[in-house]
Amino acid sequence: MTFNGHGVWAIYRFEMARALRTLWQSIVTPVITTALYFVVFGGAIGSRMEEVGGVPYGAFIVPGLIMLSLFTQSIFNASFGIYFPKFTGTIYEILSAPVSPLEIVIAYVGAAATKSAVLGLIILATAALFVPLQILHPFWMLAFLILISTTFSLFGFIIGVWSQSFEQLQMIPMLIVTPLTFLGGAFYSIDMLPEAWRTVTLFNPVVYLISGFRWAFYGVGDVSVGLSLTATLGFFFACLAVVGWIFKTGYRLKN
């Protein structure tokens, strides 16, 4: 079976057009939220905490802010993208169309990852208005940005298939991912924690994602960049395996 580029492009273009129709929610709101974080954390806390690991506090929180938006927006975009066809019943038209499961995943996850990565770059540009930034490893910054966007879009796709209501659609991002991000060193270094809490925090998978992304900016991280990359790739392949199982079994897609 040949690759159906037209089918992938049709789904991808539809999902990207939806982002333009909800521009305020997709772009403007996260940017405003980021600016408020800088006012609160950068102004209130930054005035009392000048540097973290040799990096000015205002600049130190930038990677964490980008990751916070990246996690939530990747999950939201991908989960809503596949859940809405289930909700309206048009998922059966997609499944019966001449597109393979791989092509469906590429289209939906690709669109969600694109929107999240673009949003991350917009937030980065917004942050540059508040604090001086440096990116020591631009290639790895983009690599982590794209890889994490894709990984959490896959995770969001899984949530969208699993969810049977709009409440379930929001439950995991709100009750699990966001708290783990705040507790994963988004706004502080885990080296600042007591040793016992530092050990507990290392069981938080988000720590490794944020640490690797921050290393790409400043060359410092809570864990080694190799460990961060390994953890990110591990999560990516785990999500890929679950998506493969979903299409193989038809879990909550065909029933």
Side-chain angles (χ1 to χ4, degrees):
M1 182 177 178
T2 59
F3 183 77
N4 187 351
H6 292 291
V8 172
W9 174 246
I11 298 174
Y12 178 89
R13 185 175 58 183
F14 177 81
E15 287 298 302
M16 294 302 294
R18 182 164 59 82
L20 296 177
R21 292 194 299 269
T22 58
L23 191 63
W24 182 269
Q25 181 182 3
S26 302
I27 302 296
V28 179
T29 300
V31 170
I32 293 176
T33 303
T34 301
L36 290 175
Y37 274 119
F38 271 110
V39 171
V40 175
F41 285 92
I45 300 178
S47 61
R48 295 170 174 79
M49 188 188 304
E50 294 184 358
E51 290 187 350
V52 178
V55 180
Y57 184 74
F60 179 85
I61 66 174
V62 171
L65 283 174
I66 296 175
M67 285 293 100
L68 178 61
S69 295
L70 213 64
F71 296 157
T72 55
Q73 290 299 313
S74 295
I75 292 175
F76 173 78
N77 289 327
S79 61
F80 187 82
I82 192 62
Y83 176 79
F84 194 71
K86 286 177 51 188
F87 179 75
T88 59
T90 55
I91 186 66
Y92 301 109
E93 298 177 7
I94 297 173
L95 293 175
S96 61
V99 288
S100 67
L102 176 61
E103 291 162 352
I104 293 173
V105 173
I106 290 174
Y108 278 108
V109 172
T114 300
K115 288 183 280 188
S116 300
V118 170
L119 177 62
L121 293 175
I122 291 174
I123 291 176
L124 179 62
T126 304
L129 300 176
F130 292 88
V131 293
L133 292 177
Q134 62 173 336
I135 304 176
L136 296 180
H137 308 284
F139 170 80
W140 286 109
M141 188 277 288
L142 288 174
F144 272 109
L145 184 73
I146 294 170
L147 180 58
I148 293 173
S149 297
T150 305
T151 300
F152 274 81
S153 294
L154 279 169
F155 185 47
F157 188 91
I158 295 168
I159 294 173
V161 172
W162 167 79
S163 299
Q164 294 181 302
S165 66
F166 285 100
E167 288 76 16
Q168 287 185 343
L169 202 65
Q170 301 176 35
M171 183 173 67
I172 292 179
M174 295 297 293
L175 296 182
I176 298 178
V177 176
T178 299
L180 286 179
T181 304
F182 277 96
L183 296 173
F187 303 110
Y188 58 89
S189 171
I190 66 172
D191 290 336
M192 301 166 63
L193 300 174
E195 185 175 353
W197 280 109
R198 192 184 313 136
T199 303
V200 171
T201 303
L202 289 175
F203 287 95
N204 180 353
V206 174
V207 168
Y208 302 90
L209 309 184
I210 296 175
S211 177
F213 193 61
R214 181 172 285 129
W215 171 87
F217 278 77
Y218 310 118
V220 296
D222 293 317
V223 297
S224 70
V225 64
L227 191 56
S228 295
L229 185 59
T230 301
T232 307
L233 288 172
F235 189 29
F236 170 79
F237 286 113
C239 290
L240 206 58
V242 173
V243 170
W245 174 83
I246 286 173
F247 279 100
K248 183 178 180 180
T249 61
Y251 173 76
R252 292 192 177 177
L253 284 177
K254 299 180 180 179
N255 50 36

